[in-house]
Structures are given as C-alpha cells and as structure tokens.
Amino acid sequence: QVQLVESGGGLVQPGGSLRLSCAASGNIFTIYAMGWYRQAPGNQRELVATITSSGTTNYGDSVKGRFTISRDSAKNTVYLQMNSLKPEDTAVYYCNSRISQPTSGSVFTYWGQGTQVTVSS
C-alpha cells in the first residue's frame, strides 16, 4: 500500500558529498514525519535526521553541522544532503516515515529497503 523508494547512495571519498532521496507513494493521507536512519555492520540502527510536517528538524549528534535534511511536500519526498563525509558514515541508510491512511486514519511507520553509503579512499 505504501512504498518508500531510496536513491543516491554510492561510493565517495572522505570529505566528499552525497545527496540521498526518498519518495513515498501509495495509500497516503498525511505524512507526519520523514527521516533517515543508518546501520553499520555490528552496530545498532541509529537516528541520522528527521523532519516533521511542520518543518522541525532533528539530527543525530555525529552528523550535526555536516548533514541537512529537507523535504518537498508536493512530491512526498525527503532529501538528505551529506557533506564532509567520513569513513565512520559508512552504513546502510534507511528512509523512515510516519503516515496515516485514508478513511481509517490509522498511522503506521514505514521503512525503505535501504541504500548503501560507503566512504573510503
């Protein structure tokens, strides 16, 4: 019913930049929030950044000052601009969204398939 499609991952050198995109489609009434989480091998999944429907943003401590989250409400799309990338940023990045369904109004959390970001020389 709802699909989150991520794009923009890849291989980049330390200090470089990448821009991730996540587009939501399907049975959507309202998107309350969208964001990004990441998981490196052997680590727990952690918060990267979120943005609410009102535009409020929140960032994980390790990415503050380097990453910027934004959204295009008309396209149901969220972006993550990643600058000054470090090897420690290497992980699978997952798009996340809180979405209400038409008619029922039920709210669910959805996850994308993930996109690999590798920062290496």
Tab-separated table of all heavy atoms in Angstrom, residues 36 38 46-50 58-65 67:
chain	number	residue	atom	x	y	z
A	36	TRP	N	15.747	9.722	8.214
A	36	TRP	CA	16.772	8.776	7.821
A	36	TRP	C	17.407	8.155	9.054
A	36	TRP	O	17.700	8.847	10.036
A	36	TRP	CB	17.864	9.457	6.996
A	36	TRP	CG	17.391	9.967	5.677
A	36	TRP	CD1	16.909	11.209	5.388
A	36	TRP	CD2	17.357	9.231	4.449
A	36	TRP	NE1	16.576	11.302	4.063
A	36	TRP	CE2	16.837	10.103	3.463
A	36	TRP	CE3	17.709	7.932	4.093
A	36	TRP	CZ2	16.671	9.694	2.132
A	36	TRP	CZ3	17.541	7.529	2.777
A	36	TRP	CH2	17.026	8.416	1.822
A	38	ARG	N	20.462	4.905	9.999
A	38	ARG	CA	21.536	4.154	9.366
A	38	ARG	C	21.987	3.017	10.265
A	38	ARG	O	21.831	3.059	11.479
A	38	ARG	CB	22.720	5.056	9.015
A	38	ARG	CG	23.481	5.607	10.212
A	38	ARG	CD	24.541	6.594	9.756
A	38	ARG	NE	25.341	7.090	10.868
A	38	ARG	CZ	26.256	8.039	10.753
A	38	ARG	NH1	26.493	8.598	9.573
A	38	ARG	NH2	26.941	8.435	11.823
A	46	GLU	N	20.696	3.633	14.044
A	46	GLU	CA	20.703	4.894	14.765
A	46	GLU	C	20.062	6.013	13.949
A	46	GLU	O	20.033	5.986	12.718
A	46	GLU	CB	22.138	5.296	15.137
A	46	GLU	CG	23.031	5.592	13.944
A	46	GLU	CD	24.412	6.084	14.344
A	46	GLU	OE1	24.631	6.357	15.544
A	46	GLU	OE2	25.279	6.192	13.458
A	47	LEU	N	19.589	7.003	14.669
A	47	LEU	CA	18.991	8.175	14.055
A	47	LEU	C	20.040	8.986	13.314
A	47	LEU	O	21.118	9.253	13.839
A	47	LEU	CB	18.341	9.048	15.131
A	47	LEU	CG	17.917	10.457	14.708
A	47	LEU	CD1	16.705	10.390	13.785
A	47	LEU	CD2	17.613	11.317	15.932
A	48	VAL	N	19.701	9.401	12.099
A	48	VAL	CA	20.518	10.348	11.351
A	48	VAL	C	19.855	11.720	11.370
A	48	VAL	O	20.435	12.702	11.838
A	48	VAL	CB	20.746	9.891	9.902
A	48	VAL	CG1	21.545	10.937	9.134
A	48	VAL	CG2	21.470	8.548	9.871
A	49	ALA	N	18.631	11.793	10.865
A	49	ALA	CA	17.906	13.057	10.820
A	49	ALA	C	16.429	12.801	10.580
A	49	ALA	O	16.064	11.830	9.916
A	49	ALA	CB	18.460	13.971	9.726
A	50	THR	N	15.589	13.680	11.107
A	50	THR	CA	14.154	13.623	10.858
A	50	THR	C	13.626	15.020	10.591
A	50	THR	O	14.222	16.015	11.004
A	50	THR	CB	13.373	13.023	12.039
A	50	THR	OG1	13.588	13.812	13.211
A	50	THR	CG2	13.793	11.586	12.304
A	58	ASN	N	15.586	17.346	13.362
A	58	ASN	CA	16.362	16.777	14.452
A	58	ASN	C	17.483	15.952	13.848
A	58	ASN	O	17.272	15.242	12.860
A	58	ASN	CB	15.482	15.914	15.357
A	58	ASN	CG	16.205	15.445	16.597
A	58	ASN	OD1	16.922	16.208	17.231
A	58	ASN	ND2	16.009	14.186	16.963
A	59	TYR	N	18.680	16.048	14.445
A	59	TYR	CA	19.849	15.361	13.912
A	59	TYR	C	20.546	14.553	14.984
A	59	TYR	O	20.570	14.935	16.155
A	59	TYR	CB	20.849	16.362	13.335
A	59	TYR	CG	20.353	17.130	12.132
A	59	TYR	CD1	19.720	18.353	12.277
A	59	TYR	CD2	20.531	16.627	10.850
A	59	TYR	CE1	19.261	19.058	11.180
A	59	TYR	CE2	20.079	17.328	9.744
A	59	TYR	CZ	19.444	18.539	9.912
A	59	TYR	OH	19.001	19.233	8.809
A	60	GLY	N	21.114	13.441	14.555
A	60	GLY	CA	21.988	12.703	15.438
A	60	GLY	C	23.258	13.496	15.714
A	60	GLY	O	23.713	14.278	14.879
A	61	ASP	N	23.838	13.277	16.896
A	61	ASP	CA	24.997	14.068	17.300
A	61	ASP	C	26.164	13.957	16.320
A	61	ASP	O	26.884	14.936	16.076
A	61	ASP	CB	25.464	13.640	18.692
A	61	ASP	CG	24.497	14.043	19.784
A	61	ASP	OD1	23.676	14.952	19.547
A	61	ASP	OD2	24.568	13.451	20.877
A	62	SER	N	26.368	12.793	15.754
A	62	SER	CA	27.529	12.565	14.909
A	62	SER	C	27.445	13.240	13.546
A	62	SER	O	28.461	13.326	12.842
A	62	SER	CB	27.759	11.062	14.718
A	62	SER	OG	26.671	10.467	14.040
A	63	VAL	N	26.270	13.723	13.157
A	63	VAL	CA	26.111	14.319	11.829
A	63	VAL	C	25.771	15.800	11.879
A	63	VAL	O	25.694	16.445	10.821
A	63	VAL	CB	25.053	13.575	10.992
A	63	VAL	CG1	25.356	12.088	10.944
A	63	VAL	CG2	23.650	13.830	11.526
A	64	LYS	N	25.594	16.355	13.062
A	64	LYS	CA	25.247	17.766	13.186
A	64	LYS	C	26.323	18.646	12.565
A	64	LYS	O	27.510	18.449	12.787
A	64	LYS	CB	25.049	18.143	14.658
A	64	LYS	CG	23.793	17.569	15.275
A	64	LYS	CD	23.656	17.969	16.741
A	64	LYS	CE	22.389	17.407	17.345
A	64	LYS	NZ	22.267	17.740	18.790
A	65	GLY	N	25.873	19.613	11.781
A	65	GLY	CA	26.787	20.520	11.115
A	65	GLY	C	27.291	20.020	9.784
A	65	GLY	O	27.914	20.792	9.040
A	67	PHE	N	25.290	17.265	7.872
A	67	PHE	CA	24.156	16.778	7.096
A	67	PHE	C	22.988	17.744	7.205
A	67	PHE	O	22.789	18.391	8.244
A	67	PHE	CB	23.691	15.412	7.605
A	67	PHE	CG	24.655	14.281	7.372
A	67	PHE	CD1	25.932	14.497	6.882
A	67	PHE	CD2	24.259	12.978	7.649
A	67	PHE	CE1	26.818	13.453	6.680
A	67	PHE	CE2	25.127	11.919	7.447
A	67	PHE	CZ	26.407	12.154	6.965
